[in-house]
Amino acid sequence: MMGAARINRALRRVPAWPVYVVGMVPAVWFFWLGATGGLGVEPITALEHRLGLTGLQVLIASLAVTPLRRVSGIDLVRFRRALGLVGFFYIALHLAVWLILDLQSWQRVWADILKRPYITIGMSGFLLLLPLALTSNTLAVRKLGPLRWRRLHRLAYLAIPLGAIHFVMLAKGWQIAPLAYLAAILGLLALRIRGLRTRAAA
């Protein structure tokens, strides 16, 4: 744990804002590729998928913060809020590309949500993330109180798996990558829930 202590001391000198800056770089790159023909013959679909997958990856990283601290002693908690917001940003862009560039018709939105189960699940995950993004600030913590704020943000334990299920259902056939993402999320949740139960029993 001495190595972890040194890493934590170094991390305390790093502000959270670089996470936002670095986190936005792939989005700019994806849109640039889409605008310059770098995303293949179906650029809108490719852009949707890249944004959604990046969002899921960042949300998984935010979910891994507490298990990582418990297992290795490395404390990234101060960056977790930034990771969550960056992940939400990508999911919101994923949704915006679907709504504005793909469907191009508000009349089709509700029809697709009701008709296609994978869209229903994906939209449910996004709606669960929305209040978390809106309350990811110090003012919201003061207004809600720490206990209610933490309870509200446990919605992430449902929203992120829904995103992975959306990915699994979207993939054609039983592909390994979507299932691996879902398995990783369920594993991290199991570690997180085990930690909550241990603290409650202590």
Side-chain angles (χ1 to χ4, degrees):
M1 289 294 182
M2 290 298 294
R6 285 196 293 268
I7 292 172
N8 290 336
R9 282 196 298 271
L11 287 173
R12 281 194 287 270
R13 303 190 193 101
V14 180
W17 64 262
V19 176
Y20 297 100
V21 176
V22 174
M24 303 307 174
V25 171
V28 175
W29 176 243
F30 296 156
F31 278 100
W32 170 256
L33 288 177
T36 57
L39 292 181
V41 295
E42 295 185 356
I44 293 175
T45 300
L47 181 60
E48 274 183 51
H49 290 173
R50 290 199 183 197
L51 291 169
L53 181 57
T54 303
L56 184 62
Q57 290 167 344
V58 178
L59 290 174
I60 291 172
S62 72
L63 198 62
V65 167
T66 297
L68 177 66
R69 181 178 60 178
R70 188 176 300 120
V71 171
S72 70
I74 297 174
D75 189 356
L76 299 174
V77 170
R78 63 195 303 265
F79 303 106
R80 182 166 55 192
R81 182 183 301 183
L83 287 170
L85 286 172
V86 170
F88 174 80
F89 170 75
Y90 276 92
I91 300 302
L93 283 180
H94 169 72
L95 177 61
V97 169
W98 173 67
L99 290 174
I100 298 169
L101 300 181
D102 192 350
L103 289 187
Q104 298 183 359
S105 170
W106 290 101
Q107 287 77 15
R108 292 176 54 193
V109 172
W110 292 112
D112 267 18
I113 291 173
L114 296 174
K115 180 182 177 181
R116 303 175 190 270
Y118 75 91
I119 294 180
T120 307
I121 290 173
M123 186 62 72
S124 299
F126 173 77
L127 292 176
L128 289 174
L129 286 175
L130 187 58
L132 308 189
L134 294 175
T135 58
S136 287
N137 54 76
T138 305
L139 178 61
V141 177
R142 288 202 300 264
K143 292 282 188 181
L144 292 171
L147 181 58
R148 283 197 296 173
W149 187 88
R150 283 196 297 269
R151 286 175 177 171
L152 174 64
H153 279 249
R154 286 176 186 172
L155 287 175
Y157 302 160
L158 179 57
I160 298 175
L162 285 176
I165 294 169
H166 168 76
F167 185 25
V168 170
M169 296 177 70
L170 179 63
K172 295 178 180 178
W174 291 96
Q175 297 185 26
I176 294 176
L179 294 172
Y181 279 100
L182 179 58
I185 290 168
L186 294 178
L188 289 171
L189 284 176
L191 290 172
R192 186 74 179 99
I193 293 170
R194 180 182 176 185
L196 290 173
R197 288 178 176 173
T198 301
R199 280 190 299 176

